[in-house]
Amino acid sequence: MTATLSFTHRFQPASAAGAAPLLLLHGTGGDENDLLPLGATLSPGAALLSPRGQVLEHGMPRFFRRLAEGIFDEDDVRRRARELGAFVGEARRHYGIGAPVAVGYSNGANIAAALLLLQPEALAGAVLFRAMVPLSQPPAVKLTRQPVLMLSGLADPIVPASNSAKLCTELTEAGADVTHTTLPAGHQLSQADIALARDWIAGLPQAIAA
């Protein structure tokens, strides 16, 4: 299902009660269809909201511009995070859903982390697969125990361990309830990632699911 909102997207309504909606944020080169099967696996029956990134890099959709591998255009990060937060608000009103839990992979995880730091009220929590620090000087923000699961890869050639550790520290110091696990994997997702994320989502407080 799609609608004319500020992002091209897919929406699948909930088919079961008691599950928090998921905001699915794809990696570079993905689109609004990519993470729908993952979302259905992670939280069967949950409402799924999956936007397409509005930046193109050599024809590949992304959620914000980068200057080089691992070097972000931070002005664009801030702008695109604001736009994504506005879209989440539009979609919540249009579809009648609660604040979603973001599930982001790579570039999608990075914009989810930026959204947590810039507009924390837009999200009920986040699963960050292979995330990096999105802003070199993050704003002062209170995340009031928002649940965050970070899953990093020990052999990830793109995200240095020091970078993911720094993001974990920033979110924790901002007040988030962060679980950070490093798996024996690279940048791609593994079955262990999926199993851990599924169990974590299933264990979210009932207040978030409501």
Side-chain angles (χ1 to χ4, degrees):
M1 182 184 298
T2 59
T4 304
L5 300 178
S6 58
F7 278 66
T8 299
H9 67 283
R10 293 279 305 277
F11 177 74
Q12 291 185 3
S15 60
L22 300 184
L23 175 67
L24 304 175
L25 302 169
H26 63 78
T28 300
D31 63 20
E32 66 276 19
N33 301 299
D34 274 22
L35 296 188
L36 290 174
L38 176 64
T41 297
L42 295 181
S43 187
L48 304 178
L49 178 63
S50 184
R52 182 195 305 172
Q54 296 183 314
V55 171
L56 289 179
E57 182 181 90
H58 307 300
M60 298 183 295
R62 284 176 52 85
F63 285 98
F64 59 83
R65 292 181 62 242
R66 60 181 170 185
L67 306 177
E69 185 73 62
I71 302 176
F72 303 152
D73 180 336
E74 295 194 15
D75 288 339
D76 197 58
V77 171
R78 291 181 175 85
R79 172 191 167 194
R80 302 295 178 173
R82 287 194 299 270
E83 291 173 350
L84 182 60
F87 164 73
V88 170
E90 292 173 17
R92 288 186 61 187
R93 292 187 293 273
H94 185 85
Y95 295 116
I97 59 175
V101 172
V103 175
Y105 167 66
S106 193
N107 178 243
N110 298 337
I111 195 66
L115 195 56
L116 281 170
L117 292 167
L118 294 166
Q119 293 191 30
E121 69 282 357
L123 300 175
V127 177
L128 307 178
F129 293 111
R130 312 301 187 263
M132 297 181 69
V133 172
L135 298 167
S136 58
Q137 295 183 323
V141 64
K142 290 187 177 181
L143 295 179
T144 60
R145 305 295 295 171
Q146 275 178 291
V148 176
L149 175 64
M150 286 183 59
L151 294 172
S152 303
L154 183 63
D156 191 334
I158 296 174
V159 184
S162 58
N163 190 290
S164 55
K166 182 179 179 182
L167 177 59
C168 177
T169 298
E170 288 180 358
L171 293 173
T172 299
E173 290 180 348
D177 183 4
V178 183
T179 301
H180 184 200
T181 300
T182 300
L183 297 168
H187 197 66
Q188 298 301 313
L189 296 186
S190 66
Q191 287 302 312
D193 285 287
I194 295 170
L196 286 170
R198 183 179 60 237
D199 291 347
W200 183 86
I201 290 172
L204 287 173
Q206 190 61 38
I208 290 175

